[in-house]
Amino acid sequence: MKVLVADQLSDAGVAALSEHFDVDVRMGLTKNELVSAIADYHGVVVRSATTIDADVIAAGSKLKVIARAGIGLDNVDVRAATERGVIVCNAPQSNVISAAEHTVALLLSLARNIPPADRSLRDGEWKRSAFQGMELHGKILGVLGLGRVGTLVAQRCSAFGMRLVAYDPYVSGERAAQMGVELVPSVPQLCAVADVLTVHLPKTPETVGIVGLDELRSMKPTARIVNTARGGIVDEDALFTALAEDWIAGAALDVFTVEPMTDSKLFTLDNVVVTPHLGASTSEAQDKAGTMVAESVVLALSGEFVPSAVNVAIGAGVPEAVKPFMPLAEKLGRLLTALHSGQASVAEVTVEYVGKIADEDDRAVTLSAVKGLLVDVVHEPVTFVNAPLLAEERGLNVMTRTSSASHDYVSLVRIEAGDIAVAGTLVGPSNRERLVEVWGFDVDMEPSDHMVFFRYWDRPGVVGLIGGRLGEAKVNIATMQVARREAGGEALIAMAVDTAIPGSVVEEIAELIGANDARALDLA
């Protein structure tokens, strides 16, 4: 079998692949060259430079596995690969130590003004008083996202004597306490207390711009920000304003909204430290990434289960009767996460099986639900293999409950966390998915890639207001349902739309109709 290495891969990774396959290292291929070449290969290994899109995948008639030597999969069309039965895998744990250490390096450089002091001294100046820094001991480290990298940064900064505070609604208070971390219930509260804010969130529609003008304005004038996660999580325009107008004291950035980035207005500021996305740029991380993806490619091309696969189906041991419920359960998990966003941390989730499905082995369905609960809130890709570990690390206790009696449906899956519940079922011979409960309201709608939900007080004219504003935003409504328990009481509007609704439009509609709550979900 033949494997194409299309980007720079460590010698250790190439050697590990060469033990099993005929390996060609061909870097810098254009898209047309890649489309022409890919038909000869059973596997392809990339980093971030090469994009494996639907055209490349369609041309790969022999292609069985796409391996990314790193964490992110922005340059791989996972959906197109899944449709063609091509395994997509990565090396999610290869760079966590390097990323955490780079975060600390940037923090120290920023706190002690090392880059400008270095430049000044090389220019023949001796200006000790101009570069007075900040001592970390006794300061508050605000960790935005307590995933693996965030946790490692917190541990290392604890050794400096820093007080650890974090926002992560998917880590329980008990788990945080074990790490010596105090949880706060919102991003604005974290920004307000932090002397140093370090960002470790995945980049999703919900996290883009999560640190914006309001959050930056609330920070201490002596505060610093470090972002080694993804560009755009901290609004770069807002950050420039905050730094230029001395709302905060400094920022250290390894990532940018657009990369490569060589001409940002942030680079003109003396209180900014920047590096060109070096979080994973250590020989150790690259060796680990290379050998990890090599192991995955070997497993994939041997027909074995790949633990790091992000799109692999559960094996043949899953009962046929429950397999159709797995995608539904994952969607329900993602919906519950979206509905729960912004509330107190989730410590306990119950997955309930009602009716005929309660008599089956539902472990794979529960695993799908856990995957859905986590996929939009952790930095690394979530797989069926790592989902339980990620849940455990966040102190998320997932329980199951069964009931054989169901008056309304043959089988029903319900997921609950606190006072929020969602439920779904399958109907007809083709097992069409249906949402039947959202926020405690009865609904009947097919899940869509783009959905939005509004809770409000029932009164005339609300549907028209929503439809009018969506029309102005060029968003087409596919389906809409109104649910209520009584006239004039609390009601729910659930909609499927053809395209994602911008967050600003959702907020405008919520304000326009006086919504108690509004949530948009982008399954695409």
Side-chain angles (χ1 to χ4, degrees), residues 210-427:
I210 198 169
V211 179
L213 278 173
D214 291 341
E215 288 76 19
L216 292 165
R217 197 185 298 273
S218 74
M219 296 185 74
K220 303 172 184 177
T222 55
R224 275 89 166 167
I225 290 179
V226 182
N227 185 10
T228 60
R230 285 291 185 269
I233 296 174
V234 179
D235 185 307
E236 290 180 5
D237 290 332
L239 181 61
F240 177 84
T241 299
L243 291 164
E245 298 184 7
D246 295 325
W247 298 358
I248 60 174
L253 307 172
D254 185 47
V255 289
F256 303 91
T257 303
V258 177
E259 295 182 4
M261 171 55 67
T262 58
D263 187 25
S264 169
K265 58 186 177 181
L266 287 164
F267 298 173
T268 66
L269 301 176
D270 293 334
N271 53 349
V272 175
V273 177
V274 293
T275 51
H277 206 148
L278 298 181
S281 295
T282 62
S283 57
E284 293 84 355
Q286 296 310 308
D287 281 348
K288 282 186 282 188
T291 55
M292 284 179 178
V293 296
E295 291 169 2
S296 295
V297 171
V298 171
L299 290 172
L301 295 184
S302 301
E304 298 183 33
F305 182 74
V306 182
S308 64
V310 300
N311 65 338
V312 69
I314 295 292
V318 179
E320 290 297 324
V322 306
K323 281 184 179 179
F325 284 91
M326 293 170 61
L328 173 65
E330 183 170 341
K331 291 183 179 72
L332 292 174
R334 293 184 70 178
L335 176 55
L336 186 76
T337 292
L339 298 181
H340 203 282
S341 176
Q343 298 194 26
S345 61
V346 178
E348 191 169 275
V349 173
T350 299
V351 183
E352 182 180 13
Y353 300 101
V354 183
K356 189 175 179 180
I357 191 174
D359 298 326
E360 301 287 347
D361 181 351
D362 299 312
R363 287 176 296 176
V365 183
T366 303
L367 194 55
S368 297
V370 174
K371 183 173 181 286
L373 288 165
L374 297 173
V375 70
D376 294 318
V377 297
V378 300
H379 187 52
E380 60 266 49
V382 182
T383 70
F384 288 110
V385 172
N386 70 4
L389 177 61
L390 292 171
E392 181 181 351
E393 288 180 347
R394 283 156 177 75
L396 180 62
N397 181 27
V398 180
M399 303 182 299
T400 60
R401 185 170 62 225
T402 60
S403 174
S404 58
S406 175
H407 300 294
D408 299 318
Y409 305 99
V410 174
S411 293
L412 181 79
V413 179
R414 176 183 288 110
I415 307 179
E416 301 174 0
D419 59 352
I420 298 177
V422 295
T425 189
L426 302 176
V427 298

Side-chain angles (χ1 to χ4, degrees), residues 89-156:
C89 57
N90 61 356
Q93 300 308 309
S94 60
N95 70 350
V96 292
I97 292 175
S98 293
E101 291 181 353
H102 192 64
T103 302
V104 176
L106 286 176
L107 170 55
L108 290 170
S109 295
L110 182 64
R112 299 308 301 268
N113 295 308
I114 291 174
D118 176 83
R119 290 193 297 268
S120 174
L121 188 55
R122 290 176 187 273
D123 289 340
E125 301 172 332
W126 187 268
K127 295 183 176 180
R128 295 177 63 191
S129 61
F131 303 112
Q132 182 172 301
M134 176 185 75
E135 192 173 85
L136 298 183
H137 182 83
K139 301 298 191 299
I140 297 175
L141 179 73
V143 185
L144 186 51
L146 267 179
R148 285 191 170 93
V149 177
T151 297
L152 290 174
V153 171
Q155 290 171 345
R156 282 149 178 74

Side-chain angles (χ1 to χ4, degrees), residues 159-170:
F160 290 121
M162 299 189 77
R163 176 184 161 198
L164 308 177
V165 180
Y167 170 76
D168 191 326
Y170 303 95

